[in-house]
Amino acid sequence: MNHFIDVILPIPLEKSFTYLITAAEAEFLKPGMRVSVPFGKSKIYTGIVQCIHTKDPLIYEAKDIHQILDETPIVTQAQFRLWEWMANYYMCTLGDVMRAALPGAFILDSETIISKNLTLEINEADLKDDEFLIFEALQHQTSLKIQDISNIVDKKNVLPLVKRLLEKKAISVHEEIFDKYKPKLVRYVKLQNKFHNQDALQDLLEDLSRAPKQRDVVMTLFSLTAKSKKPIPVTDLTEASNCSSAIVKSLIDKEILEEYYVQTDRVQYNNHETEGSKHLNNAQEVAMNGILESFKKQNIVLLHGVTSSGKTEIYVKLIEDALTQGKQVLYLLPEIALTTQLVTRLQNYFGEQVAIFHSKYSSNERVEVWNQVLDNSPKAQIVLGARSSVLLPFHNLGLVIVDEEHEQSYKQFDPAPRYHARDTAIVLAHIFNTKTLLGSATPSLESYFNAQQQKYGLVELNTRFNDVLMPDIELVDIKDKHKRKRMKGHFSDRLIAEMSETLEDGHQIILFQNRRGYSPIIECQTCGHSPQCPSCDVSLTYHQYRDQLRCHYCGYHSVMIKKCEACGSVELDNKGFGTEQVEKEVSLLFPDYKVARMDLDTTRGKYGYEKIISTFENQEVDILVGTQMLTKGLDFRNVKLVGVMNADNMLNFPDFRAHERSFQLLLQVSGRAGRTDKRGKVLIQTYNPHHNILQQVSTNNYLQMFKEQMDDRFNFKYPPVYRLIKITLKHRDYNKVNVGADWYAKSLRQVFKQYVLGPEFPPVSRIRNQYHKNILVKIPNKQSLAKTKAAILKINTSFSSIKDFRPIRVILNVDNY
Ligand code: ADP
Ligand code: ZN
Ligand code: ZN
């Protein structure tokens, strides 16, 4: 009898691949272990054993595996169930899911590039001979391919060797080099060693008697050091001695003080003291009981609580409950909300039990968290993570929290699996037979509708913590302001007046503009031409800071033009404005205050967000200009005013969710104002102050927004009333896409009749030289989803079997966002 294994390979194959194994291997192997296997003519992949059996594949001759890479499974049975659901529901392959789930370092293949691990000193004595050969080769070469390694050690199966080196942290798999910036680089000072004896210090103080301020600083430092044995940050010293940092600097220059920096690591948690959770106030208590009550009948509860109502503190109580039962907790957040703010807050309560997981982590860091979760380590009882953390190997999950559940960034856009982390988390919780809590101040229509349909429990929390009033939201009619010449650049007189007052009171301001760059369109005043991206059908955005024109779709950039490319005229006009321009105008209007900007351009790198968030938190910056990044669950204590520069372009965006999104965005950004004591103020500038959505925002009327938007969704047959599957066809040849899309849509219409929309070009129809064309399939509630998908897949197969259409890429996006 022959033994076989089915192996999931990290490539989009429709089926798992079968390999031949020995009886001993069959005895040893378990589903979820990794094996390295040959594939195609010369490729080697790391695959996951799906099952062990004795059925010969018959159609092809099963090859031998190269090597077994694990002693115990690294993928759990629960994960297999989730993967199957995802592949099925999101219409992709198990290989797609596997690639998304496993950290890169787990799935080495013949293309993997290996480099030296720069962060760790390696003791060469710890390395075996073959390991040392590779290690040494990397001292001379920055990177090696698996093939090179094969040549060096003259062996075919080198993945086990690479794996050992990875485990010893001697190497890392190649990935983006992240910023070296560490935001918590704190500057400290101490007295130079030579002053550590009494006499020397006495002499020094006498010397300084003619520089009383410097003397004060030294005295203060002395008393601070006496009080606590801890290092003294420069900021503490200047504050305690009430002097400027210039004086500290002169003491450093005179070699009396010595400055030094300490890096405080974000990932490491070294403060072992934790505090008890907060005592909930009445409203929170009622909400908490409501949630517990609902959980008795329902697996999913939606907590609709206004911004700053103290939802997080309620989550903390629920987490405590789960931990006492010895269960793991998954706490999902949008990427950006995973900055120090919330991390620190949870670590204060739960100390080392919190593990963090997000996309800016390196592959090695992700492997570490993966193993901790898999081993049910005390260090990973609570996983605080972004989208992909639903894919971790949980053991005994006891609670899932999805905070900011309305966030569209929970949906993966590209590549497959195009999954929604909220919905996937609900399925994950179901697999563990446990509960999910969704939280938001502005729930998605999907979730609120589900709550209304009694599919979810619903708990409302309508007051802010400490009874702080909701911010006062004022709409400013900029059409009228323009007419009456009350605008300075893009600032109305109302906004300027409120800004001046806020700044004079020592408070901070957030300005929101949903576009980055300086100006999205440059237009020639003479002939009307505007520069376009050579590979995409969009205008290039002007970035003044770099003096560049940039494409926001493909990253193309060129130097800013001095004259029109078409007619040569030098009269070029800016149309529209982005965050850069706002930043520039503010600096001119308020030259005495510090301005910073937070958008995609300023937050690259691992600590990109944190850098800006912490300077704003520390009040080193008075005015923060930014895009929708600012709306995601950040908690700033001192912000009293929020200005929305222009609400119109998001309202007019051509998407059936544009109104819902505008409402969410505007209320969320407003929610950053006045979170502590004084009531916050929000000014929304618009050409259209009577727009229903803006009225609903200014009265904080979620329910009215919900009803009105739901009417539209009913009438026009959109989610959550109907389900959507979007089919996108892509190819460089415009005609090919057209012909293919027509064929595809026609076939779909034969099955789904009037529920097929398109084909239609999206607003930007060419990206990276690929033409896109979309077809939408709407699925009524009663129609079987499984049958619908089967029918689409059948059409898809016929489509790809037509020779002319084969080169066209087809993308299936279920529950398109
Ligand atoms: P939300 O998550 O609803 O936006 P938060 O949980 O961030 O609100 O709460 C807003 C602020 O109020 C936070 O600074 C939080 O520490 C504080 N807070 C909330 N609940 C309590 C409580 N019961 N006791 C003390 N402070 C609280
Ligand atoms: Zn011109
Ligand atoms: Zn482009």
Side-chain angles (χ1 to χ4, degrees), residues 523-530 563-572:
E523 196 179 83
C524 169
Q525 283 192 15
T526 313
C527 76
H529 171 82
S530 53
K563 52 187 188 181
C564 173
E565 299 158 305
C567 75
S569 159
V570 291
E571 307 212 358
L572 302 172

Side-chain angles (χ1 to χ4, degrees), residues 485-517:
K485 307 237 177 314
R486 297 276 174 80
M487 297 290 288
K488 277 195 187 144
H490 297 95
F491 290 76
S492 62
D493 55 351
R494 278 293 298 129
L495 184 52
I496 292 174
E498 288 289 341
M499 286 178 74
S500 311
E501 198 185 314
T502 307
L503 292 171
E504 273 157 30
D505 290 346
H507 294 307
Q508 289 167 292
I509 300 174
I510 283 178
L511 294 177
F512 171 73
Q513 168 65 1
N514 213 11
R515 265 201 176 133
R516 63 195 169 95

Side-chain angles (χ1 to χ4, degrees), residues 755-770:
Y755 294 125
V756 180
L757 255 61
E760 212 170 73
F761 284 112
V764 178
S765 60
R766 188 179 52 119
I767 298 173
R768 293 174 201 273
N769 276 323
Q770 302 273 320

Side-chain angles (χ1 to χ4, degrees), residues 143-177:
S143 65
L144 292 173
K145 279 200 166 188
I146 296 285
Q147 188 57 49
D148 305 329
I149 294 180
S150 226
N151 294 341
I152 294 171
V153 295
D154 193 22
K155 253 205 278 188
K156 235 167 107 196
N157 309 334
V158 293
L159 294 191
L161 163 62
V162 173
K163 187 181 156 244
R164 271 186 275 130
L165 282 164
L166 270 170
E167 280 163 4
K168 293 189 176 167
K169 303 210 165 114
I171 59 170
S172 48
V173 294
H174 184 76
E175 53 205 326
E176 258 180 88
I177 306 296

Side-chain angles (χ1 to χ4, degrees), residues 57-236:
L58 298 177
I59 313 161
Y60 54 93
E61 192 180 337
K63 290 186 195 164
D64 294 334
I65 62 170
H66 272 169
Q67 202 88 34
I68 298 173
L69 295 174
D70 292 309
E71 310 259 308
T72 52
I74 62 152
V75 174
T76 66
Q77 286 302 312
Q79 281 178 298
F80 277 132
R81 285 178 65 189
L82 189 70
W83 289 12
E84 302 258 359
W85 177 83
M86 287 174 79
N88 209 323
Y89 188 86
Y90 292 108
M91 302 174 84
C92 62
T93 67
L94 278 174
D96 289 328
V97 182
M98 170 185 169
R99 192 169 267 295
L102 293 179
F106 271 152
I107 38 182
L108 308 168
D109 60 36
S110 36
E111 303 299 310
T112 306
I113 295 170
I114 305 296
S115 51
K116 199 163 67 168
N117 185 2
L118 299 168
T119 55
L120 208 74
E121 283 296 323
I122 292 293
N123 184 359
E124 292 171 9
D126 293 344
L127 299 176
K128 293 190 187 166
D129 288 351
D130 54 352
E131 294 170 5
F132 182 74
L133 281 176
I134 305 306
F135 182 74
E136 197 190 39
L138 283 172
Q139 310 303 316
H140 308 293
Q141 246 169 305
T142 47
S143 65
L144 292 173
K145 279 200 166 188
I146 296 285
Q147 188 57 49
D148 305 329
I149 294 180
S150 226
N151 294 341
I152 294 171
V153 295
D154 193 22
K155 253 205 278 188
K156 235 167 107 196
N157 309 334
V158 293
L159 294 191
L161 163 62
V162 173
K163 187 181 156 244
R164 271 186 275 130
L165 282 164
L166 270 170
E167 280 163 4
K168 293 189 176 167
K169 303 210 165 114
I171 59 170
S172 48
V173 294
H174 184 76
E175 53 205 326
E176 258 180 88
I177 306 296
F178 290 115
D179 262 9
K180 290 285 177 284
Y181 176 82
K182 294 261 186 182
K184 276 259 165 149
L185 202 62
V186 178
R187 184 170 165 240
Y188 294 96
V189 277
K190 60 181 180 197
L191 265 179
Q192 292 247 2
N193 281 344
K194 55 189 175 204
F195 300 113
H196 277 186
N197 77 60
Q198 200 63 34
D199 292 344
L201 185 64
Q202 210 57 47
D203 290 348
L204 170 66
L205 290 175
E206 257 159 49
D207 280 354
L208 286 178
S209 59
R210 265 163 300 132
K213 280 198 176 156
Q214 294 184 6
R215 194 166 178 270
D216 275 358
V217 171
V218 174
M219 294 289 283
T220 312
L221 179 62
F222 194 69
S223 70
L224 283 176
T225 319
K227 246 187 274 166
S228 88
K229 293 277 161 276
K230 287 191 205 145
I232 310 295
V234 173
T235 43
D236 286 10

